[in-house]
Amino acid sequence: MTNYSGFSKSNRAQRISFLSEHTDLSDSEIGLHYGYDSHDPDQQSLLEEMIENYTGNFPIPMGLVPNVVINGTTFQVPFVTEESSVIAAAAKAAKFWAAKGGFTATVESTIKKGQVHFIWKGDPEKLQSLFPDLRTKLLQSTELLTSRMRQRGGGIGDILLIDKTRQLPNYYQIDVAFETADAMGANFINSCLESMADCLRTAPELNTGDFPPEVIMSILSNYTPDCLVVCRVEAPIVALAGWNKQMNPATFVTKFKQAIDIARFDTPRAVTHNKGIFNGIDAVLMATGNDTRAISAAGHAYASRNGTYQSLTNLSLEAHTFKYTLEIPLAVGTVGGVTQMHPLVKVVSAVLNHPDAKTLMMIAAAAGLANNFSAIASLITTGIQEGHMKMHLSNVLNQLKASEAEKKIIRTEFKELPVDFRTLEGLITQIRNRT
Ligand code: MEV
């Protein structure tokens, strides 16, 4: 295998000609690397500098979910997603619930955490007894770094010493709580932790004997159970009649409850169930320039907090009322990082009326709950394929470059057919031969 050194120092044109030399891409495939360049040179250079070894822009569709009413305010929510039906599902649920007062959301807390992981081979009791003074020094070591954040209402909260020596010999953590206002705050947290790590490493009181503290690593935790939002919808059970004409509301809600209960004890189902919640959440996170990986990791870990992996949504049917809730950690940011740079993220922020981080937590949660509601409602009634296949059919017909007339014939004459590429390809050929 060849090891291409110096690649990072090459420019974009060199990287693309490298691809041309080392792959069998056609000229038009090579050209696609330039095909989605921004017309605005400033925006283009911004994108080129956002990542390393840049070769081109990779478009993913953006669409709008209207009528998302949260705590009485209506949002038109941009979704960025590659999956068909996600927007249709969210839009249908948002509209349905808007007519019933919409979503109610509350941000329970916004604390994030990070740890300095270290080894101390000295006396554990000595470490504990020195810690109160050490804590003050650790905090002081971050003062410069936190000054602007403190002005914005953020900063550092609890600093704890956690003894983990049962899990790993001589292993301790300095566990630090952060409030990062409207920023996701990863850089801020990591800088503070690294500063604390230096302070710990060089603290004279810990460097008296043979065992100075050895820092292993300093890093934020993407597990954010204290950065929590709860989003709910509620309506009398009879009001669910409007969703599905074929099924009476009592049967609908009973099956809905069973579907939720299954996802509370059955991991294989719970994973798919939660994936459907993330269909909406990820689409909002992508559109707003947030870190989808961090937030999914936190969500799935939170789903396991009771020892088994469970549904993130819950349903109660007490007092003839459908009370449906999503509780999820969403450590989002609306300032700093990509949110300030990406031209479309700025547009999305304007569409959402420049939300602060708490408002964005509520919007993303509402998107997740909307997608989950639609998914479960389809699964227990028509099945998921009916809606999916309509979109899939359009995608395959476009792939086959079907004309509008051909699309019309397929849609009217072949309603019951399975939508697979080969079948449709055969049909288009038949239609073309007919004419
Ligand atoms: C598909 O992207 C998402 C669903 O599978 C979610 C679910 O099963 O709940 C429909």
Side-chain angles (χ1 to χ4, degrees):
M1 220 165 112
T2 322
N3 190 352
Y4 302 105
S5 62
F7 196 73
S8 62
K9 304 214 170 42
S10 57
N11 63 31
R12 181 186 183 194
Q14 288 166 328
R15 283 176 218 130
I16 294 174
S17 34
F18 169 92
L19 272 178
S20 170
E21 280 159 34
H22 292 89
T23 66
D24 53 9
L25 293 184
S26 66
D27 287 351
S28 71
E29 285 166 334
I30 287 292
L32 274 182
H33 288 83
Y34 295 103
Y36 299 98
D37 279 15
S38 171
H39 297 303
D40 177 337
D42 290 341
Q43 290 188 0
Q44 181 54 30
S45 62
L46 220 142
L47 293 166
E48 293 190 15
E49 282 159 32
M50 205 174 272
I51 58 159
E52 306 77 31
N53 293 355
Y54 173 90
T55 54
N57 296 335
F58 188 101
I60 300 182
M62 174 164 68
L64 201 63
V65 175
N67 307 310
V68 182
V69 176
I70 305 171
N71 299 342
T73 303
T74 304
F75 295 90
Q76 324 301 342
V77 183
F79 271 37
V80 169
T81 179
E82 88 302 343
E83 186 174 335
S84 56
S85 300
V86 164
I87 291 184
K92 191 175 173 197
K95 187 171 172 205
F96 178 78
W97 284 106
K100 291 166 184 47
F103 300 91
T104 307
T106 40
V107 172
E108 304 287 313
S109 53
T110 52
I111 303 285
K112 293 156 194 170
K113 287 208 156 187
Q115 290 80 25
V116 178
H117 303 260
F118 71 102
I119 298 289
W120 162 259
K121 293 184 183 155
D123 177 5
E125 277 176 20
K126 181 177 167 202
L127 185 62
Q128 294 289 358
S129 70
L130 292 172
F131 193 67
D133 283 348
L134 195 60
R135 181 195 283 119
T136 311
K137 286 191 181 167
L138 293 173
L139 192 59
Q140 277 163 358
S141 77
T142 62
E143 242 158 39
L144 217 62
L145 289 167
T146 59
S147 76
R148 280 186 54 211
M149 186 59 89
R150 279 183 277 128
Q151 280 161 20
R152 284 158 45 199
I156 293 180
D158 287 346
I159 305 177
L160 308 173
L161 172 69
I162 304 183
D163 185 335
K164 294 269 180 186
T165 52
R166 283 211 193 144
Q167 283 95 335
L168 191 72
N170 310 312
Y171 167 48
Y172 297 84
Q173 289 177 358
I174 308 280
D175 179 88
V176 188
F178 294 88
E179 179 58 70
T180 60
D182 288 323
M184 196 263 166
N187 285 331
F188 167 73
I189 295 176
N190 289 335
S191 301
C192 290
L193 291 170
E194 288 188 6
S195 176
M196 288 188 184
D198 282 343
C199 175
L200 179 80
R201 208 182 276 121
T202 53
E205 58 271 51
L206 298 181
N207 280 280
T208 51
D210 298 336
F211 309 112
E214 255 173 69
V215 172
I216 305 168
M217 57 190 163
S218 314
I219 185 77
L220 90 172
S221 169
N222 286 126
Y223 187 48
T224 54
D226 298 317
C227 197
L228 199 68
V229 55
V230 180
C231 183
R232 29 183 110 67
V233 285
E234 194 174 312
I237 287 172
V238 286
L240 273 293
W243 182 267
N244 183 283
K245 307 276 178 293
Q246 275 87 53
M247 197 179 272
N248 72 53
T251 313
F252 178 81
V253 299
T254 304
K255 286 184 84 176
F256 204 109
K257 173 88 176 113
Q258 286 159 343
I260 299 279
D261 289 346
I262 292 168
R264 294 204 72 78
F265 63 76
D266 183 65
T267 301
R269 174 57 206 148
V271 172
T272 320
H273 178 102
N274 289 343
K275 183 274 182 189
I277 296 172
F278 274 101
N279 276 347
I281 292 179
D282 273 2
V284 173
L285 298 179
M286 283 291 283
T288 54
N290 275 281
D291 183 339
T292 52
R293 288 84 56 212
I295 293 170
S296 313
H300 296 296
Y302 193 70
S304 310
R305 68 195 179 284
N306 297 327
T308 50
Y309 184 91
Q310 294 184 319
S311 155
L312 288 161
T313 48
N314 218 336
L315 177 67
S316 142
L317 296 176
E318 279 161 29
H320 308 289
T321 307
F322 184 90
K323 285 190 192 170
Y324 176 51
T325 314
L326 169 66
E327 179 184 309
I328 189 165
L330 290 174
V332 301
T334 54
V335 299
V338 177
T339 61
Q340 229 99 57
M341 282 192 296
H342 196 290
L344 277 170
V345 169
K346 288 195 216 163
V347 172
V348 167
S349 172
V351 173
L352 293 173
N353 206 13
H354 304 288
D356 58 14
K358 285 184 182 169
T359 308
L360 185 56
M361 286 168 81
M362 298 193 254
I363 294 170
L369 192 62
N371 271 104
N372 185 242
F373 179 81
S374 264
I376 304 301
S378 296
L379 288 168
I380 60 169
T381 55
T382 56
I384 206 74
Q385 287 310 84
E386 189 180 272
H388 266 225
M389 280 306 150
K390 273 192 206 139
M391 286 301 292
H392 185 55
L393 176 63
S394 302
N395 287 341
V396 175
L397 290 175
N398 285 335
Q399 260 173 288
L400 289 166
K401 298 198 172 22
S403 67
E404 285 311 311
E406 288 163 351
K407 286 180 187 170
K408 200 166 165 197
I409 297 174
I410 297 269
R411 288 206 170 98
T412 47
E413 290 187 21
F414 302 101
K415 272 191 182 139
E416 306 302 324
L417 276 175
V419 184
D420 71 87
F421 192 88
R422 292 276 158 260
T423 315
L424 288 169
E425 191 177 37
L427 285 172
I428 298 257
T429 316
Q430 269 179 39
I431 295 168
R432 284 178 188 162
N433 288 342
R434 261 198 241 165
T435 48

